[in-house]
Amino acid sequence: MAKVRFDKGAIKAIVTTVGDRLLSIDEEAEKFGYDERTLKRVKKSMGFHTRRVVSDPSVCTSDLCAQSAGRLFELTGVDPASIDALIMVTQTPDYRAPSTAIILQDRLGLGTGTVAFDINLGCSGFINGLYTAYAMIASGLQRVLLCVGDVASKFAYERDKVLTPLMGDAGSAILIEAEASESHFVLHSDGSGFEHLIIPAGGCRYPCSLEALEPKARPDGAVRRDVDMYMNGGEIFNFTLKAVPEMFDELFAFAGVEKERIDYFVLHQANRYILQNIAKRIGVDEERLPMKTVTEYGNQNSASIPGTINAFLHEPFSGRSLRSVFAGFGIGLSWGACLVETDGIVAPEPLIYKGAST
Amino acid sequence: MSLEEFLEGIAEALDTENELTPETELERIDEYDSIGVLSLMSYLDEMGIKATPADFEKFRTVADLVALAGEKIDG
């Protein structure tokens, strides 16, 4: 059972960089083949409005994370050479091999005494990455840099009307230090649902081929290639409604905390509709459970929780001590939640990606 | 819950102005698309009724939803 309590490890800084291009669903409607009625419906139900992506298709997640990390070192005054570990959580690595984390080790000026590797996760990636960072701190390391995010434009086919209007590009850097602080984690995996969110081609099971690069009309009414992400929205919605409220009950029982004593619930920002449904089921209002990230930035995958803190909660997180629940859920299927304490961390508003010079 | 209340609940979940009866064919409801199915799953889930996307592929008329609700409807 992956149910763990730590008494050491604290988040000291969270910085997120988002794509430099602002797209609006009104302008994109024609590309997705939405008629007037559908456009109205996706805006109202799903909360689609604008999203942020990178304008230069050659930009990778590591570029966004590098800008975030650079700013993080500036704001905290932490010497990059003092970082003991660098974890990169992404589904859009620079190369199929080696790990992007190792490339970032050199690029960010970290020492060669750094442990660095990638974790391939999406929506639950921040929780699993944070868990790994806390476990490393428990094992004796002093400073861990966690980089999370995706350039979703890489795997969301531009004309896929189901998935693409949801997606935003973002990369975050999070600093975790060895400091007395209590946290609780619960983590889950269920591979029986692996086909509900999947990039079918490009791995060893279905190597990339000309066939995989062919755009095809699919039964769900969308057009995409086999190298693009497919989402069965209904299955994911059903899974979320069942798994997430149960996970909160499990976390609160494990931590021995009442939900009234939680300052903020920062959840993976899948879409507004899912968040409204979860909020209703766990009985928490929008003031404590922000849900506007998809509406302004798009679904930022593993960067959605830090992205939401930077965009909508930078004042409380940088101003005072808080007890928060973070929860991620999706591709895998994989889901996890944690209860953490923070005390006035460095959490600036999101940075806009500035390009290769940074 | 009465049948009438259930039908009203479905219409509200779908956000449709169509008058629904058990005979209404789901395909004829404009709002019965992928978003509509999510809304219905959420509505049914709140009633304690589990339905999967695969179930919805088999449903043809509103009566299929009524049958799914079974004993939750009492009149």
Side-chain angles (χ1 to χ4, degrees):
Chain A
M1 258 313 224
K3 207 146 73 158
V4 185
R5 175 185 171 276
F6 294 107
D7 55 16
K8 207 167 65 170
I11 296 174
K12 304 304 283 182
I14 300 177
V15 181
T16 299
T17 301
V18 298
D20 54 307
R21 174 175 285 165
L22 187 69
L23 297 172
S24 97
I25 191 70
D26 292 319
E27 291 162 17
E28 289 193 284
E30 196 185 327
K31 175 177 75 188
F32 296 132
Y34 289 163
D35 56 24
E36 195 74 15
R37 190 185 63 84
T38 307
L39 176 63
K40 225 172 107 186
R41 257 165 93 64
V42 295
K43 283 165 87 170
K44 189 179 164 196
S45 301
M46 296 292 135
F48 295 171
H49 178 55
T50 58
R51 59 195 190 103
R52 280 200 166 270
V53 299
V54 295
S55 60
D56 175 353
S58 71
V59 172
C60 298
T61 308
S62 61
D63 300 321
L64 302 177
C65 290
Q67 184 175 325
S68 297
R71 186 72 183 132
L72 184 148
F73 291 134
E74 274 170 27
L75 291 170
T76 57
V78 164
D79 178 2
S82 70
I83 300 289
D84 300 311
L86 195 168
I87 307 160
M88 174 88 188
V89 180
T90 191
Q91 303 169 107
T92 42
D94 289 7
Y95 303 98
R96 279 192 60 210
S99 272
T100 304
I102 302 169
I103 302 170
L104 274 177
Q105 167 273 327
D106 178 56
R107 193 169 158 190
L108 296 176
L110 277 50
T112 55
T114 308
V115 50
F117 54 80
D118 287 5
I119 296 177
N120 179 344
L121 283 170
C123 325
S124 67
F126 176 68
I127 309 298
N128 283 277
L130 198 61
Y131 162 74
T132 308
Y134 277 51
M136 287 173 154
I137 296 284
S139 78
L141 300 190
Q142 295 299 306
R143 276 186 173 143
V144 180
L145 185 70
L146 171 63
C147 290
V148 296
D150 270 312
V151 172
S153 327
K154 306 272 184 208
F155 59 65
Y157 189 58
E158 58 169 348
R159 287 187 285 137
D160 182 342
K161 64 174 185 178
V162 176
L163 183 78
T164 304
L166 271 173
M167 291 291 157
D169 300 336
S172 308
I174 299 101
L175 177 68
I176 297 105
E177 291 188 347
E179 191 179 282
S181 180
E182 194 182 27
S183 61
H184 293 80
F185 285 78
V186 295
L187 303 158
H188 291 274
S189 310
D190 181 5
S192 72
F194 83 96
E195 285 175 317
H196 299 326
L197 257 172
I198 187 170
I199 301 173
C204 296
R205 196 65 72 190
Y206 176 3
C208 192
S209 60
L210 286 176
E211 164 85 17
L213 293 168
E214 193 71 37
K216 290 175 192 155
R218 310 288 172 159
D220 63 1
V223 175
R224 77 181 79 82
R225 304 164 304 177
D226 288 338
V227 290
D228 299 313
M229 182 80 79
Y230 158 71
M231 174 178 71
N232 183 329
E235 290 287 357
I236 295 297
F237 181 69
N238 246 7
F239 147 72
T240 306
L241 278 192
K242 184 176 180 309
V244 176
E246 275 178 17
M247 174 169 68
F248 281 127
D249 290 343
E250 183 188 14
L251 179 67
F252 294 142
F254 176 50
V257 172
E258 301 287 322
K259 71 166 187 256
E260 287 68 32
R261 295 184 55 217
I262 308 297
D263 294 298
Y264 290 105
F265 291 77
V266 191
L267 273 55
H268 167 60
Q269 304 281 304
N271 65 57
R272 188 174 172 80
Y273 189 71
I274 282 187
L275 290 168
Q276 278 174 332
N277 273 280
I278 295 173
K280 194 152 78 175
R281 279 164 179 74
I282 63 172
V284 174
D285 60 27
E286 189 167 351
E287 214 166 287
R288 288 199 296 153
L289 194 159
M291 47 179 85
K292 287 204 184 80
T293 310
V294 166
T295 304
E296 286 188 34
Y297 296 92
N299 176 336
Q300 299 165 324
N301 290 284
S302 53
S304 67
I305 294 169
T308 300
I309 291 172
N310 291 122
F312 301 102
L313 300 170
H314 51 92
E315 279 181 18
F317 270 82
S318 47
R320 54 192 167 95
S321 83
L322 299 172
R323 180 183 281 133
S324 309
V325 165
F326 302 147
F329 42 86
I331 194 164
L333 305 170
S334 166
W335 64 110
C338 61
L339 173 64
V340 299
E341 297 167 341
T342 53
D343 190 7
I345 65 170
V346 170
E349 288 186 57
L351 314 175
I352 307 289
Y353 181 64
K354 282 198 294 244
S357 60
T358 54
Chain B
M1 174 183 286
S2 70
L3 177 62
E4 200 166 284
E5 284 168 333
F6 182 70
L7 294 179
E8 273 172 25
I10 290 176
E12 204 176 307
L14 284 171
D15 198 14
T16 181
E17 286 173 10
N18 291 31
E19 189 77 24
L20 300 185
T21 69
E23 290 74 38
T24 308
E25 286 176 40
L26 294 168
E27 270 188 11
R28 294 192 181 275
I29 306 170
D30 279 346
E31 290 79 7
Y32 187 76
D33 54 13
S34 59
I35 296 173
V37 169
L38 293 190
S39 307
L40 284 178
M41 287 199 295
S42 169
Y43 173 67
L44 294 168
D45 185 77
E46 279 172 40
M47 287 177 67
I49 302 165
K50 299 287 170 204
T52 66
D55 293 332
F56 277 91
E57 281 172 25
K58 291 179 216 137
F59 296 158
R60 292 288 166 261
T61 63
V62 170
D64 292 325
L65 297 174
V66 175
L68 183 75
E71 290 171 4
K72 308 264 180 191
I73 298 172
D74 54 19

